[in-house]
Every structure is written in C-alpha cells, then in structure tokens.
Amino acid sequence: MAITVASVTNVFDGPKRIRFAQITLDSSYATGGETIAAGDLGLQKIDAVFMSGGDDGYVTQWDETNLKFLAYANATSTTTNPVQALSEVASGQDLSAVVFWALVVGN
C-alpha cells in the first residue's frame, strides 16, 4: 500500500503552485519514510513542504532530498530519563489512521 493523498485544494496558481492536501500514511510504514510523487498533488516538481502534526501525537518531517514523509513518535519516558528524543516509527508499523495536512509549493 502507499501514501494516500486526498482533499487537494489549489491555493494558488502562478509561477509557483501551492497545494493544501490531506495526507494519510501507509498501513506498513517503511523505514526511511513514505514516498510521494509530485503528480499526486497535480504538480511536476515539489519545492517545499510545510506540515501539521499527525493524529495521535505523531510528528512528520519532509525529506527534501528523497521526496519522502518521515514519521516520528515520542519514546516512552522513564523516571530515570523523563525526556526522550523523538524516534522514527518502526518499520512495518500501521499508520493508516494517521492523517496530517501539508502545504506543498511546487510547479
């Protein structure tokens, strides 16, 4: 299965195009991120992506070099280490219920 793009809204058409899209991740997350094609957003090239946090506390990051969305989650805190850095979600984890919004700039 792959990333699902829904509710693509054309915010601006000009020299650069701006799309506002609802993104749903895969049912089997791939380590290193989920690939998205510019064509999925009605674009030929993606220049920049700005994202909201995902549902259920997941945080997403755009990998500009590889054109992928990465998903991170907070590690479990302990009394000896109450603050944990975010870690990339484990390979194979079902994130099909995680939805976030992305503002995508391209042409």
Side-chain angles (χ1 to χ4, degrees):
M1 202 169 146
I3 262 181
T4 303
V5 178
S7 302
V8 176
T9 302
N10 182 22
V11 179
F12 178 77
D13 266 330
K16 292 291 182 186
R17 295 179 178 185
I18 299 173
R19 302 289 190 256
F20 189 58
Q22 180 184 19
I23 309 289
T24 304
L25 297 177
D26 199 341
S27 62
S28 182
Y29 181 78
T31 300
E34 300 283 354
T35 304
I36 189 166
D40 294 340
L41 300 158
L43 300 170
Q44 294 180 357
K45 180 179 180 251
I46 296 174
D47 294 323
V49 177
F50 305 94
M51 298 175 290
S52 69
D55 292 345
D56 300 326
Y58 289 97
V59 174
T60 54
Q61 177 183 356
W62 173 245
D63 177 349
E64 181 178 354
T65 302
N66 298 303
L67 303 178
K68 293 184 177 189
F69 289 105
L70 290 97
Y72 293 87
N74 194 356
T76 305
S77 298
T78 65
T79 54
T80 57
N81 194 2
V83 178
Q84 297 279 331
L86 296 175
S87 299
E88 186 177 6
V89 171
S91 181
Q93 186 166 341
D94 183 356
L95 297 180
S96 61
V98 177
V99 177
F100 63 94
W101 290 90
L103 186 69
V104 183
V105 179
N107 53 11

